[in-house]
Amino acid sequence: MPLSPANSELSSQEQHALWSSELLEHYSWQFQGETPFAVPLACLPLLDELFKFVDETIKDSFDRSLFCWTDLKQGSKGLTAWYLGVEDYDEALEPYIENLSARALTLNDAVDPPAPK
């Protein structure tokens, strides 16, 4: 599901809230309770990619019932995504998350240039 186009009339906070809501609604089976997205607006499309990958990877309804995100955030080391689920999928999910984490660092550098020395 591609996120709706960015709306220039919305503040970055409002756009973040809109896209977060779209992601939670579209991939609701991946969440139990509320899992906040502690990532900058520029990284939300990466979460969309991640959730789509999980959606396509975990097809079994029982396995889906055991899966949920517990924490999603962007830090100095990139994107961090913690989840609970069947270990059988770790081999597919972990490298994908690592790749997105590296891409998130690139986005973060593009948005936040290094501080002057």
Side-chain angles (χ1 to χ4, degrees), residues 1 3-4 9-10 14 16-17 22 27 30 39 42-43 50 52 64 93-94 97 108 113 115:
M1 166 204 113
L3 294 169
S4 62
E9 295 178 10
L10 297 177
E14 292 169 325
H16 192 283
E22 288 177 9
Y27 300 107
Q30 297 181 26
V39 300
C43 288
L50 176 60
K52 181 180 178 189
R64 281 184 172 207
L93 294 178
E94 293 301 323
I97 292 169
N108 197 38

Side-chain angles (χ1 to χ4, degrees), residues 58 63 66-67 83-94:
I58 303 175
D63 290 349
L66 298 175
F67 182 91
Y83 60 90
L84 297 174
V86 179
E87 289 180 15
D88 297 351
Y89 297 102
D90 290 350
E91 194 171 298
L93 294 178
E94 293 301 323

Side-chain angles (χ1 to χ4, degrees), residues 38-55:
V39 300
L41 179 63
C43 288
L44 285 177
L46 295 179
L47 289 186
D48 185 31
E49 287 181 42
L50 176 60
F51 301 158
K52 181 180 178 189
F53 180 76
V54 169
D55 199 49

Side-chain angles (χ1 to χ4, degrees), residues 12-71:
S12 61
Q13 268 187 317
E14 292 169 325
Q15 186 67 58
H16 192 283
L18 174 66
W19 280 352
S20 295
S21 176
E22 288 177 9
L23 291 170
L24 284 169
E25 184 177 324
H26 189 73
Y27 300 107
S28 61
W29 73 266
Q30 297 181 26
F31 298 90
Q32 294 176 8
E34 291 193 25
T35 302
F37 304 148
V39 300
L41 179 63
C43 288
L44 285 177
L46 295 179
L47 289 186
D48 185 31
E49 287 181 42
L50 176 60
F51 301 158
K52 181 180 178 189
F53 180 76
V54 169
D55 199 49
E56 293 170 350
T57 302
I58 303 175
K59 294 290 187 187
D60 182 77
S61 61
F62 180 72
D63 290 349
R64 281 184 172 207
S65 72
L66 298 175
F67 182 91
C68 72
W69 295 107
T70 59
D71 195 16

